[in-house]
């Protein structure tokens, strides 16, 4: 006997229904596991040289007056030449100007020598981090051959905004920085670190004392080998017109291997000390020197060597004296420090750490522009960064061996002195399960009041994939996190702006430029209440912006 349903055999109808349900489940699973293509976030855009008014939704607090300045790559090709790596794109500066509850947006390409030369010749003339410039085909064979022996640093300062002696600069990690006018984003003079101090570059993440004194780090290469140098730039301008006049090396640190120094993107600072991390991501000096001859980019000289440990070097930033003990821990990769402070004879150091150091290679543009399964597979290779706490006890000389030297009851981080005098450290994870799938990067704090001090709150981006797709507020005491997220949008590094005369650490707002790969949607400046982590308002602008790196808030001068 056969049963009929709507004129069809029941078993056939059931089979069809099951097939439909299976298909829907398969589609649902595919939707949940696949990620959208983000290629438009890594495409060339036009600059917006005249301020464009933003459409306001919600409220822009009237006490927030100033500019959120952002920096990052904005052009990825010249003529038929294309850049290989995300870090290579030409610097595009952004200004979200906030004034009396209204917002305007503008952007300009940094008029660096790299940009103007490439543009005039309509090809890539200056090599970047991951792209080697090819010799001019119009030159003779001899001239092209000799050009392979010239090592030229780029002044494509696309990473951050920094401040020295009251002036604003854009910076990268070479020996050049460019002074800029924060009001109209005009490019001013090029400044060469090596003309003032014996370094071949500096990080794009200096630290500042309350009086404006700046500290940074940079390598030097010479006959005596490679050195890591801690740099101090005085707060006030001298009578000289030279911007970095008075800069000095506070201390030089010899690498474990002079021909393979570590790459580093930042460092940590307390009230009295600088802490430098020597990482297992190494730069091969011989490969750098022969890179142009062999047709290799600078990035090809880097190698992740997990057989090596990570080392912490501690230096008194006032005297330049190195601490007698070098602290060690398991190999990990670190781009950004969060905060560091002194407590009960120890340095408490919080940072974003990831177990694998091969991520830099993954940020090639061909990877970032993938879609579908290829993009899914790429995401699986990315090691996420998580907030970690280390404790470095400074008075180790008289302490016992093989016991935990950490006296701080509020952290489970350990430091154990070994028979050879080295101190082995283990970290405490500062997050709960909320951050398991996304980690935290681009960390920010209430810097003006809590840098080098005991603090409670971290703000950053959650990186479930290759770029930030959420904003996070993390309480380091409870390890609880609050998350802001909107489908199809990718927020940039959140910048904390304190409420005037605030008394609580999180009393203020967060500013983040939120981007989208969807051409039918607009980017917007997001304003979050930092305490409640809820949206106050947004300022929408009908432009597209590539995903960038870092920025600062410049208060409006009265």
């Amino acid at each position: 006997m056969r049963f009929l349903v709507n004129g069809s055999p029941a078993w056939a109808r059931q089979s069809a229904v099951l097939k439909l349900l299976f298909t829907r489940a398969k589609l649902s699973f595919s939707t949940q596991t696949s990620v959208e293509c983000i290629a438009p976030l890594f495409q060339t855009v036009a600059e917006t040289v005249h301020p464009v008014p933003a459409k306001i939704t919600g409220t822009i607090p009237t006490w927030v007056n100033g500019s959120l300045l952002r920096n990052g790559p904005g052009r990825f090709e010249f003529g038929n030449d294309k850049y290989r790596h995300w870090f290579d794109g030409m610097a595009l500066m952004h200004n979200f100007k906030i004034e009396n509850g209204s917002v305007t947006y503008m952007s300009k390409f940094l008029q660096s020598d790299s940009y103007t030369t490439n543009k005039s010749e309509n090809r890539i003339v200056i090599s970047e981090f991951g792209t080697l410039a090819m010799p001019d085909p119009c030159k003779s064979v001899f001239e092209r051959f000799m050009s392979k022996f010239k090592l030229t640093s780029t002044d494509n300062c696309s990473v951050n905004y920094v401040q020295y002696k009251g002036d604003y600069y854009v910076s990268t990690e070479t020996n050049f920085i460019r002074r800029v006018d924060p009001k109209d984003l005009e490019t001013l003079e090029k400044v060469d670190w090596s003309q003032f101090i014996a370094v071949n570059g500096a990080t794009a993440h200096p630290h500042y004392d309350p009086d404006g004194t700046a500290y940074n780090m940079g390598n030097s290469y010479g006959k005596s080998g490679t050195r890591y140098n801690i740099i101090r730039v005085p707060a006030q301008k001298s009578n000289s017109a030279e911007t970095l006049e008075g800069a000095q090396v506070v201390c030089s640190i010899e690498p474990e291997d002079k021909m393979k120094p570590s790459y580093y993107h930042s460092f940590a600072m307390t009230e009295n000390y600088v802490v430098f991390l020597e990482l297992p991501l190494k730069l091969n000096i011989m490969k750098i020197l022969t890179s142009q001859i062999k047709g290799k980019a600078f990035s090809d000289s880097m190698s992740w060597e997990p057989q090596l440990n990570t080392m912490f070097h501690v230096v008194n930033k006032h005297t330049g004296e190195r601490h007698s003990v070098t602290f060690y821990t398991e190999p990990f990769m670190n781009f950004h420090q969060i905060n560091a402070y002194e407590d009960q004879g120890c340095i408490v150091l919080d940072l974003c750490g990831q177990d694998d150091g091969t991520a830099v290679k993954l940020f090639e543009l061909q990877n970032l522009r993938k879609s579908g399964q290829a993009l899914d597979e790429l995401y699986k290779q990315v090691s996420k960064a998580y907030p970690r706490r280390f404790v470095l006890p400074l008075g180790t000389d008289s302490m016992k061996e093989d016991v935990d030297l950490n006296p701080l009851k509020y952290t489970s981080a350990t430091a154990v002195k070994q028979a050879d005098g080295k101190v082995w450290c283990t970290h405490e994870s500062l997050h709960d399960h909320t951050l398991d799938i996304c980690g935290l990067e681009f960390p920010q704090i209430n810097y003006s009041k809590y840098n080098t001090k005991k603090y409670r709150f971290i703000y950053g981006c959650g990186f479930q994939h290759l770029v930030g797709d959420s904003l996070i507020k993390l309480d380091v005491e409870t390890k609880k996190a609050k998350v802001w997220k909107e489908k199809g949008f990718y927020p940039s590094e959140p910048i904390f702006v304190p409420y005037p005369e605030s008394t609580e650490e999180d009393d203020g707002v967060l500013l983040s430029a939120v981007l989208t790969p969807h051409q039918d949607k607009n980017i917007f400046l997001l304003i979050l209440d930092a305490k409640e982590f809820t949206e106050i308002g947004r300022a929408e602008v009908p432009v597209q912006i590539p995903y960038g790196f870092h920025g600062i808030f410049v208060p409006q001068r009265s």
Side-chain angles (χ1 to χ4, degrees):
M1 182 180 292
R2 293 186 299 174
F3 295 93
L4 298 180
V5 180
N6 293 334
S8 301
W11 62 267
R13 179 65 176 170
Q14 289 173 344
S15 176
V17 171
L18 288 172
K19 186 176 181 180
L20 178 62
L21 290 173
F22 177 77
T23 301
R24 286 179 176 175
K26 194 174 181 181
L27 286 172
S28 175
F29 179 77
S30 175
T31 301
Q32 291 174 2
T33 57
S34 63
V35 291
E36 68 177 346
C37 176
I38 56 173
L41 297 179
F42 305 95
Q43 303 287 354
T44 295
V45 298
E47 57 187 357
T48 307
V49 296
H50 301 294
V52 175
K55 176 185 175 182
I56 306 299
T57 303
T59 303
I60 309 297
T62 55
W63 59 266
V64 182
N65 287 285
S67 292
L68 174 66
L69 304 180
R70 295 275 305 151
N71 200 358
R75 180 165 177 171
F76 299 94
E77 67 281 313
F78 288 93
N80 295 323
D81 293 354
K82 302 180 186 302
Y83 288 115
R84 290 177 50 205
H85 201 281
W86 179 28
F87 299 173
D88 298 341
M90 294 290 97
L92 180 62
M93 304 177 291
H94 312 268
N95 183 349
F96 291 89
K97 184 179 180 181
I98 308 170
E99 187 173 20
N100 298 324
S102 65
V103 178
T104 60
Y105 168 80
M106 68 179 300
S107 65
K108 291 183 180 179
F109 281 105
L110 178 70
Q111 298 300 302
S112 62
D113 292 349
S114 298
Y115 177 82
T116 55
T117 304
N118 292 340
K119 188 177 180 181
S120 66
E121 298 199 23
N122 199 32
R123 67 184 185 89
I124 296 174
V125 179
I126 308 297
S127 297
E128 299 292 338
F129 173 80
T131 304
L132 181 69
M134 292 294 102
D136 187 349
C138 296
K139 290 185 177 181
S140 67
V141 174
F142 176 75
E143 288 174 320
R144 277 181 282 166
F145 174 75
M146 292 305 296
S147 69
K148 291 180 177 290
F149 294 90
K150 296 179 182 179
L151 291 175
T152 305
S153 293
T154 179
D155 65 338
N156 176 39
C157 301
S158 63
V159 179
N160 202 2
Y161 283 85
V162 297
Q163 194 172 11
Y164 295 110
K165 298 186 176 182
D167 288 328
Y168 291 93
Y169 299 82
V170 285
S171 63
T172 179
E173 296 179 333
T174 69
N175 55 305
F176 296 119
I177 56 178
R178 296 294 303 232
R179 192 165 73 90
V180 295
D181 186 330
K183 292 182 180 180
D184 57 13
L185 303 180
E186 285 299 306
T187 302
L188 304 174
E189 71 266 27
K190 179 171 71 172
V191 179
D192 185 348
W193 276 100
S194 65
Q195 297 299 309
F196 301 92
I197 195 170
V199 295
N200 297 97
T203 80
H205 291 285
H207 278 293
Y208 307 98
D209 277 343
D211 68 353
T213 300
Y215 290 84
N216 209 330
M217 289 199 61
N219 284 359
S220 59
Y221 308 102
K223 294 181 180 179
S224 59
T226 305
R227 298 275 181 169
Y228 310 118
N229 300 293
I230 298 171
I231 307 164
R232 179 167 57 224
V233 181
Q236 300 301 320
K237 286 187 176 181
S238 64
N239 293 328
S240 170
E242 301 292 357
T243 310
L244 297 179
E245 189 72 34
Q248 62 181 149
V249 171
V250 175
C251 178
S252 290
I253 302 168
E254 188 174 302
E256 188 176 33
D257 184 340
K258 290 184 178 181
M259 295 305 293
K260 295 181 74 174
S262 291
Y263 170 81
Y264 55 95
H265 185 70
S266 63
F267 63 100
M269 187 180 83
T270 71
E271 185 178 355
N272 296 296
Y273 298 95
V274 164
V275 184
F276 166 65
L277 276 67
E278 192 166 2
L279 302 164
L281 183 61
K282 298 297 183 178
L283 302 174
N284 188 311
I285 298 299
M286 284 306 300
K287 285 186 176 181
I288 293 174
L289 294 175
T290 60
S291 59
Q292 300 222 144
I293 301 172
K294 295 182 177 180
K296 299 289 186 179
F298 178 87
S299 59
D300 294 320
S301 69
M302 302 174 71
S303 61
W304 172 243
E305 303 187 11
Q307 74 277 11
L308 302 174
N309 293 319
T310 296
M311 295 185 289
F312 301 86
H313 300 278
V314 178
V315 176
N316 186 307
K317 72 181 191 183
H318 307 299
T319 66
E321 182 180 1
R322 288 186 59 186
H323 192 268
S324 59
V325 173
T326 300
F327 302 86
Y328 292 79
T329 192
E330 293 181 345
F332 73 92
M333 181 57 198
N334 160 252
F335 286 103
H336 300 110
Q337 319 297 320
I338 300 171
N339 197 13
Y341 59 90
E342 299 162 37
D343 192 8
Q344 298 182 44
C346 299
I347 291 175
V348 179
L349 170 59
D350 295 349
L351 51 79
C352 295
Q354 53 196 99
D355 293 329
D356 183 80
T358 60
V360 173
K361 295 285 187 181
L362 299 178
F363 286 104
E364 291 185 350
L365 289 168
Q366 63 176 354
N367 290 330
L368 296 171
R369 293 168 178 168
K370 288 180 178 179
S371 60
Q373 185 177 353
L375 188 58
D376 287 342
E377 292 301 317
L378 176 65
Y379 283 161
K380 294 175 184 177
Q381 301 176 48
V382 179
S383 177
K384 292 179 175 58
Y386 295 99
R388 299 174 175 180
R389 171 165 289 176
F390 288 91
V391 173
L392 312 179
L394 299 178
T396 59
D397 292 341
S398 59
M399 292 185 179
K400 296 180 180 179
E401 297 175 4
D402 299 324
V403 296
D404 186 7
L405 305 178
N406 173 22
L408 306 175
K409 303 300 182 184
Y410 56 81
T411 174
S412 60
T414 66
V416 177
K417 186 177 181 179
Q418 300 175 326
D420 58 4
K422 298 177 181 177
V423 176
W424 184 262
C425 301
T426 63
H427 70 267
E428 175 193 8
S429 295
L430 293 177
H431 68 284
D432 67 5
H433 62 86
T434 308
L435 300 188
D436 285 348
I437 63 170
C438 64
L440 185 149
E441 254 295 357
F442 289 164
Q444 291 287 320
I445 62 170
N446 183 344
Y447 191 95
S448 62
K449 291 189 176 181
Y450 287 87
N451 182 52
T452 75
K453 296 178 175 62
K454 191 174 182 181
Y455 74 115
R456 185 169 179 177
F457 300 111
I458 305 169
Y459 311 98
C461 288
F463 279 70
Q464 187 171 349
H465 305 302
L466 281 171
V467 296
D469 57 3
S470 62
L471 292 172
I472 293 168
K473 177 184 180 180
L474 178 64
D475 186 329
V476 299
E477 292 185 5
T478 66
K479 300 186 180 181
K480 301 295 182 183
K482 296 180 179 180
V483 179
W484 180 94
K485 189 170 186 176
E486 190 166 319
K487 186 177 180 180
F489 287 91
Y490 297 85
S492 64
E493 170 190 64
I495 301 298
F496 181 86
V497 182
Y499 186 82
E501 300 179 3
S502 59
T503 57
E504 297 183 348
E505 181 181 343
D506 58 351
D507 193 2
V509 298
L510 294 165
L511 306 178
S512 174
V514 182
L515 315 181
T516 180
H518 302 285
Q519 301 301 308
D520 60 337
K521 298 178 181 179
N522 295 327
I523 65 99
F524 58 90
L525 175 66
L526 176 68
I527 298 92
L528 292 180
D529 178 278
K531 186 179 293 294
E532 301 300 328
F533 215 61
T534 54
E535 181 173 341
I536 299 173
R538 62 177 64 184
E540 188 175 326
V541 186
V543 298
Q544 292 298 311
I545 299 177
Y547 201 83
F549 302 127
H550 301 289
I552 59 172
F553 180 74
V554 178
Q556 188 179 68
R557 294 178 180 176
S558 55

